[in-house]
Amino acid sequence: MNAPLAVKVTMPPQRLLSACAVAYASVGNVGVGFDILGHCVAGASDQVEVHRIDTPTVRIAAIKGCVEVLPMDAAQNTAGAALMALRKALGLQHGFELTLHKGIALGSGMGGSAASCVAALVAANALLERPLSRESLYGFALEGEAVASGGRHGDNVGPMLLGGLVLATRDRLLRIPVPPTWHCALVHPHVVLETRKARAALAGDYALSEFVAQSANLALVLAGCWQNDAELVREGLKDVLVEPRRAPLVPNFARVKQAAMDHNALGASISGGGPSVFGWFEHHADAEAAAHAMRSAFNEVGLDSDTLVAPVEGPAAQLIPCIEGERQA
Amino acid sequence: MNAPLAVKVTMPPQRLLSACAVAYASVGNVGVGFDILGHCVAGASDQVEVHRIDTPTVRIAAIKGCVEVLPMDAAQNTAGAALMALRKALGLQHGFELTLHKGIALGSGMGGSAASCVAALVAANALLERPLSRESLYGFALEGEAVASGGRHGDNVGPMLLGGLVLATRDRLLRIPVPPTWHCALVHPHVVLETRKARAALAGDYALSEFVAQSANLALVLAGCWQNDAELVREGLKDVLVEPRRAPLVPNFARVKQAAMDHNALGASISGGGPSVFGWFEHHADAEAAAHAMRSAFNEVGLDSDTLVAPVEGPAAQLIPCIEGERQA
């Protein structure tokens, strides 16, 4: 057979002028990795549309979706602040205009502010002449996250950038392997718990013995993931440091957690700053059953809630077709 | 060829009446795993000879070697207390008589008390009708360790029981894989630092931010071991929690540590409660050169010291021929 004729068509260089990206909800802390461990959960997401503009600035055109009370001042907005940091670091001449489509409720403990920040970065990155690696976007994501929470912690933005379960230290991201069959149930009661209030509950001093117990638990969870050993995770997935201090902020927490444990959870705790509660499960069916039971437990105190059930190895943020179509120069 | 004739000789059941075991020095804490992480280091060891006696008690016949000031009262001695706990838990009718041959200096931060305790347990275990697994000896080893240090921490007895680098939580031991080429340099200055004094330096309150930094470092070290990635260990092997509080107790610590770092250490810190200092190295030659430089740094303040260079994956405690020969009934 003859090879088909190769026809080389030289196109003028094209420059993308707009891009859209989606970033998924996340479970921050994962109980035992306060501020350093998190994973994504498919099923809830923020989308951000970024236009390259000639004006050397970052501006927010609109915020749509389930949240409309966010700051329109870019410097006060997680997505805006992240892109401002990106512009400054790269010395970009052009600016960005953002439209945020919020799908993750703020103050839910599901990484809503982080998702806008990461989606904006991934979209803006696609508009650069030399796009950066996901790891290289991390520092800018931390800048954005700091606007929302007051701290540079990567346990939400880290997993959103890389996907799956991620160790997010001050300087680096590292993906931790997780068996693909392990599932997370994430239940979001319809009540707002501000990140700053959740952080205030952690003020004060800590005993060294608390840290020894918590770091042993963290090590067991990491070992269980690396070794694909659910029993190690079951032994370690117990937050003895943060959960006792934040549990009073989550309505009916003890019974919601127990509902997860009653359905064979490897462990269950508060997602991020709360009030959402998550559980990890070896099997999808257990996670489904637990999600219903956890929802019922929130119902006991008059709270409706949303439930998500998805693999612990959730998806990374990604580019998506813009709703109004991409425009090219 | 014909198979050789199989001659089955039925021997009367024999009962071992004495056994000897050796347990090697260890690096407790390994910088980032306070009270939960440790590994053995070949080259220094305690040996214990255990005789089964009809008297229902545990007694210490003699303590020989480099330390002779230890309590002869079994209940006050780590090895004696461990065997008392073993007798009680198993409801043994018979007792044990111990002779300790100390090769590890007390108050050195090299697990000297733990080594006697583990060697005694391993030897006594061989005298049982149904010997226990190493993991099952762990609880008794913790009982013994508590006599010496006042706390139930397994970062010395754990690795001595299993060998290699071990995560030792309250309830379980887990071996962490380490590349066999990685070496440890362990330098013991001739000055005593009592475990209880080293613990007193840790009194007081801790900030949550200290825990976040330290647990990120612990996670990096564990990740580096599992993934055979020395750079992750190099990034994480930094004790920001305990070392700053204990460093003033170790003469010339800053320069001893720097000597290790100057020879490509992945990290260096205080071994156990000190005053010994350890470093981890990718290559044997670096560890050898570092050990000399670390020794010189102790010399600067008038202290002589011993050096050990050995693989991080050090040997577990093991049975050895008794010097005077084993006796059988």
Side-chain angles (χ1 to χ4, degrees):
Chain A
M1 278 173 64
N2 292 326
L5 281 173
V7 179
K8 190 173 180 186
V9 180
T10 303
M11 300 284 285
Q14 294 191 332
R15 180 169 288 173
L16 216 53
L17 282 188
S18 70
C20 290
V22 59
Y24 298 93
S26 62
V27 172
N29 299 342
V30 195
V32 292
F34 181 71
D35 272 5
I36 62 168
L37 196 65
H39 72 90
C40 294
V41 182
S45 63
D46 279 9
Q47 296 181 17
V48 177
E49 184 177 341
V50 179
H51 297 271
R52 184 174 161 139
I53 57 177
D54 291 333
T55 328
T57 184
V58 175
R59 64 184 184 225
I60 296 176
I63 300 175
K64 304 173 181 177
C66 70
V67 178
E68 298 186 20
V69 295
L70 286 171
M72 296 291 283
D73 174 9
Q76 299 302 314
N77 180 292
T78 55
L83 294 201
M84 288 172 68
L86 180 73
R87 275 197 75 245
K88 189 176 171 189
L90 300 185
L92 299 180
Q93 299 298 311
H94 63 81
F96 297 109
E97 184 186 82
L98 318 179
T99 300
L100 278 58
H101 302 266
K102 297 292 299 180
I104 305 171
L106 286 188
S108 65
M110 296 164 63
S113 59
S116 292
C117 169
V118 168
L121 279 168
V122 169
N125 192 44
L127 306 182
L128 300 180
E129 287 182 31
R130 291 189 192 82
L132 304 174
S133 69
R134 289 294 172 95
E135 287 82 358
S136 300
L137 296 177
Y138 181 46
F140 308 120
L142 287 176
E143 293 281 322
E145 181 68 295
V147 169
S149 70
R152 287 173 63 92
H153 54 94
D155 56 326
N156 290 117
V157 298
M160 290 174 188
L161 283 167
L162 293 196
L165 179 69
V166 167
L167 173 69
T169 74
R170 200 184 52 182
D171 303 315
R172 87 137 73 208
L173 298 177
L174 183 72
R175 191 153 173 177
I176 313 286
V178 177
T181 53
W182 291 6
H183 276 69
C184 171
L186 180 58
V187 181
H188 167 224
H190 294 171
V191 56
V192 170
L193 178 49
E194 285 176 24
T195 304
R196 287 175 194 276
K197 189 175 173 189
R199 295 227 150 219
L202 304 182
D205 294 323
Y206 291 74
L208 183 57
S209 57
E210 293 183 89
F211 180 59
V212 173
Q214 185 86 341
S215 59
N217 287 347
L218 170 63
L220 285 170
V221 169
L222 294 176
C225 290
W226 261 296
Q227 299 187 184
N228 191 353
D229 184 335
E231 292 316 304
L232 288 176
V233 174
R234 195 184 298 280
E235 207 170 311
L237 193 41
K238 294 165 188 159
D239 176 2
V240 297
L241 191 74
V242 170
E243 182 184 300
R245 290 169 166 90
R246 281 183 171 168
L249 301 177
V250 179
N252 215 25
F253 173 73
R255 285 187 50 87
V256 175
K257 176 178 177 177
Q258 191 57 49
M261 301 310 295
D262 288 345
H263 287 86
N264 303 318
L266 297 176
S269 189
I270 301 166
S271 175
S276 295
V277 177
F278 79 97
W280 273 20
F281 302 83
E282 270 190 276
H283 307 294
H284 179 259
D286 283 333
E288 285 285 1
H292 285 287
M294 293 160 78
R295 191 168 187 267
S296 297
F298 275 125
N299 262 327
E300 291 172 359
V301 289
L303 286 174
D304 196 10
S305 49
D306 304 316
T307 62
L308 289 177
V309 173
V312 172
E313 284 226 306
Q318 55 189 303
L319 291 171
I320 53 172
C322 286
I323 296 162
E324 301 159 285
E326 291 172 3
R327 293 176 291 179
Q328 290 184 327
Chain B
M1 278 173 63
N2 291 327
L5 280 174
V7 179
K8 189 174 179 186
V9 179
T10 303
M11 299 284 285
Q14 294 191 331
R15 180 169 289 174
L16 218 50
L17 283 188
S18 69
C20 290
V22 60
Y24 298 93
S26 62
V27 172
N29 300 340
V30 195
V32 292
F34 180 71
D35 272 4
I36 62 168
L37 196 64
H39 72 89
C40 294
V41 182
S45 62
D46 280 8
Q47 296 182 17
V48 177
E49 184 177 342
V50 179
H51 296 269
R52 185 173 160 141
I53 57 176
D54 291 332
T55 327
T57 186
V58 175
R59 64 182 184 228
I60 297 176
I63 301 176
K64 304 175 181 177
C66 69
V67 178
E68 297 186 21
V69 295
L70 286 170
M72 296 289 284
D73 173 10
Q76 301 302 313
N77 180 293
T78 56
L83 294 201
M84 287 172 71
L86 180 74
R87 275 198 75 245
K88 189 176 171 189
L90 301 185
L92 299 179
Q93 300 299 311
H94 63 83
F96 297 109
E97 184 185 81
L98 318 179
T99 300
L100 279 59
H101 302 265
K102 297 291 300 178
I104 306 171
L106 285 188
S108 65
M110 295 165 65
S113 59
S116 293
C117 169
V118 168
L121 279 168
V122 169
N125 191 45
L127 305 182
L128 300 180
E129 286 182 33
R130 293 188 191 83
L132 304 174
S133 69
R134 289 295 171 99
E135 287 81 357
S136 300
L137 296 178
Y138 181 44
F140 307 120
L142 288 176
E143 293 281 322
E145 181 69 295
V147 168
S149 70
R152 287 172 63 91
H153 54 95
D155 56 325
N156 289 116
V157 296
M160 289 174 188
L161 283 166
L162 292 196
L165 179 68
V166 168
L167 173 68
T169 73
R170 201 185 50 183
D171 302 315
R172 86 137 75 207
L173 298 177
L174 183 73
R175 189 152 173 177
I176 314 286
V178 177
T181 53
W182 291 7
H183 275 70
C184 172
L186 179 58
V187 181
H188 168 223
H190 294 171
V191 56
V192 170
L193 178 49
E194 283 176 25
T195 305
R196 289 176 192 273
K197 189 174 174 190
R199 296 229 148 217
L202 305 182
D205 295 322
Y206 291 75
L208 182 56
S209 58
E210 293 183 271
F211 292 168
V212 173
Q214 185 86 340
S215 60
N217 286 348
L218 170 63
L220 285 170
V221 169
L222 294 176
C225 290
W226 262 296
Q227 298 187 184
N228 190 355
D229 184 335
E231 292 318 305
L232 288 177
V233 174
R234 195 184 298 280
E235 207 170 311
L237 193 42
K238 294 165 188 158
D239 176 2
V240 297
L241 191 75
V242 169
E243 182 184 302
R245 291 169 166 89
R246 281 185 171 168
L249 301 178
V250 179
N252 214 26
F253 173 73
R255 285 187 50 85
V256 176
K257 176 178 176 177
Q258 191 58 49
M261 301 310 293
D262 288 345
H263 288 86
N264 302 318
L266 298 176
S269 190
I270 301 166
S271 175
S276 294
V277 176
F278 79 97
W280 273 20
F281 302 83
E282 270 190 276
H283 307 292
H284 178 259
D286 283 334
E288 284 284 1
H292 285 288
M294 293 161 77
R295 189 167 189 266
S296 297
F298 275 124
N299 262 326
E300 290 171 0
V301 290
L303 287 174
D304 196 9
S305 47
D306 303 314
T307 62
L308 289 178
V309 173
V312 173
E313 286 225 305
Q318 55 190 300
L319 291 171
I320 53 172
C322 284
I323 296 163
E324 300 160 285
E326 289 172 5
R327 291 177 291 177
Q328 291 184 322

